[in-house]
């Protein structure tokens, strides 16, 4: 499997690209959670946001390996 992507002559690790996508998704989900008001029930919002980001990165990476293998 190719672990790097060539962007205009620059080799970029695919994990970096999935992390950027996961960050954008995590921000959207975080704003949705804040708008609904679920942060009142979450003990530590910063830890929750970090765990959400890690889960999204993991899901994207595992999903992409299943999809492109």
């Amino acid at each position: 499997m190719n672990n790097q992507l060539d962007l205009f002559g620059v080799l970029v690790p695919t994990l970096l690209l999935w992390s950027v996508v996961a960050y954008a998704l995590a921000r959207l989900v975080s704003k949705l959670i804040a708008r609904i008001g679920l942060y009142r029930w979450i003990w530590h919002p910063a830890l929750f946001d970090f765990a959400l980001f890690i889960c999204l990165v993991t899901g994207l990476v595992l999903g992409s390996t299943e999809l492109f293998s």
Side-chain angles (χ1 to χ4, degrees):
M1 182 173 148
N2 188 5
N3 291 332
Q4 295 178 345
L5 185 65
D6 185 12
L7 291 176
F8 306 108
V10 177
L11 293 176
V12 179
T14 53
L15 183 61
L16 177 65
L17 297 176
W18 288 125
S19 297
V20 170
V21 172
Y23 177 74
L25 288 173
R27 292 290 294 171
L28 286 172
V29 171
S30 178
K31 288 186 183 292
L32 179 67
I33 289 172
R35 180 173 289 234
I36 293 173
L38 291 178
Y39 274 128
R40 288 179 292 166
W41 301 99
I42 295 173
W43 171 67
H44 201 291
L47 288 177
F48 179 82
D49 288 341
F50 180 67
L52 176 67
F53 171 73
I54 295 299
C55 289
L56 286 172
V57 169
T58 303
L60 287 172
V61 169
L62 290 177
S64 71
T65 56
E66 289 293 322
L67 185 64
F68 296 120
S69 292

